[in-house]
Amino acid sequence: MTTTSTAPRPTVDFWFDPACPWAWMTSRWIDEVAERRDVEVRWHVMSLSVLNEGRDLPESYRRLMDESWAPVRVIVAAARDHGDKVIKPLYDAMGTRRHPGRRSDTAAIVAEALEEVGLPADLATVGETDEVDGLLRASHAEAIALVGDDVGTPVVAVDGVGYFGPVVTPAPTGQAALDLFDGLVLMTRVPGFYELKRSRTAGPSF
């Protein structure tokens, strides 16, 4: 049953990196909210590779950052050429393979996702260039302007007030999803509220 609300229709802006499993979990929660509430969700890319430029990283994480450029560049190029409407389905196609699918073959994931969404295969080549990095960095900067650079993904903003997170596992469903969303909306209405945090004791549960 759909739960209705008498509050004004909120606009949610969601920034993600397709490589991030925590962003994936939060995006599933926002999907659940959007199915049950009258909200407008706008999807944007940010980049963990950009965020971590110049930082001293463990070698394993550095390799992940090197591999993470291509998917986000392809999404940016697809949106440039075909409109923002392709961002979410392309993210879903990539993320389903990478996260619940537990795959790491990035080139194949990108190629299959483009085919699934009905986009030209040659968009994959943009992932190996800096052709759209200006657009990527601009989108990333919009998220960072809301929350600062000592965060990760996702960044979620409600009516222009943004936070890193929420970080959740598993993704809440049903009334629990709506309750969490209502709590986030209330926090955005407190001008001096900045942060809540506790240590994670579980990994992403897909």
Side-chain angles (χ1 to χ4, degrees):
M1 182 177 68
T2 300
T3 302
T4 59
S5 172
T6 58
R9 184 187 193 214
T11 297
V12 176
D13 287 284
F14 192 109
W15 281 267
F16 66 89
D17 185 316
C20 179
W22 294 106
W24 178 257
M25 300 301 299
T26 308
S27 72
R28 302 309 94 181
W29 161 65
I30 284 292
D31 278 351
E32 179 81 1
V33 172
E35 288 182 3
R36 296 169 176 267
R37 282 276 174 83
D38 183 21
V39 298
E40 178 186 5
V41 183
R42 302 186 299 199
W43 299 88
H44 315 271
V45 294
M46 60 185 299
S47 171
L48 290 171
S49 301
V50 172
L51 186 68
N52 286 287
E53 282 182 320
R55 296 182 179 181
D56 185 17
L57 303 173
E59 181 58 31
S60 59
Y61 196 66
R62 171 58 60 193
R63 288 197 299 270
L64 176 62
M65 293 301 95
D66 290 343
E67 294 173 2
S68 296
W69 283 103
V72 75
R73 283 168 166 165
V74 169
I75 293 174
V76 171
R80 177 198 63 185
D81 295 350
H82 301 278
D84 289 348
K85 65 183 181 297
V86 304
I87 294 176
K88 180 58 161 49
L90 195 51
Y91 176 39
D92 287 345
M94 290 183 183
T96 298
R97 290 166 170 81
R98 180 171 294 276
H99 301 303
R102 301 189 183 279
R103 289 173 52 185
S104 58
D105 47 338
T106 299
I109 288 171
V110 168
E112 291 172 18
L114 289 169
E115 182 178 10
E116 178 181 321
V117 179
L119 292 170
D122 59 7
L123 281 170
T125 62
V126 180
E128 306 306 319
T129 75
D130 62 1
E131 177 183 334
V132 295
D133 282 11
L135 294 172
L136 169 58
R137 291 177 186 277
S139 182
H140 179 87
E142 289 177 353
I144 296 304
L146 293 173
V147 297
D149 61 3
D150 57 343
V151 299
T153 59
V155 168
V156 178
V158 179
D159 294 332
V161 180
Y163 294 100
F164 163 54
V167 176
V168 292
T169 185
T173 59
Q175 188 60 44
L178 299 178
D179 290 344
L180 178 58
F181 182 72
D182 290 340
L184 178 62
V185 171
L186 288 174
M187 287 190 295
T188 66
R189 295 174 181 168
V190 179
F193 179 80
Y194 291 101
E195 183 175 12
L196 279 174
K197 189 171 183 179
R198 63 174 175 169
S199 296
R200 292 195 297 264
T201 59
S205 174
F206 303 118

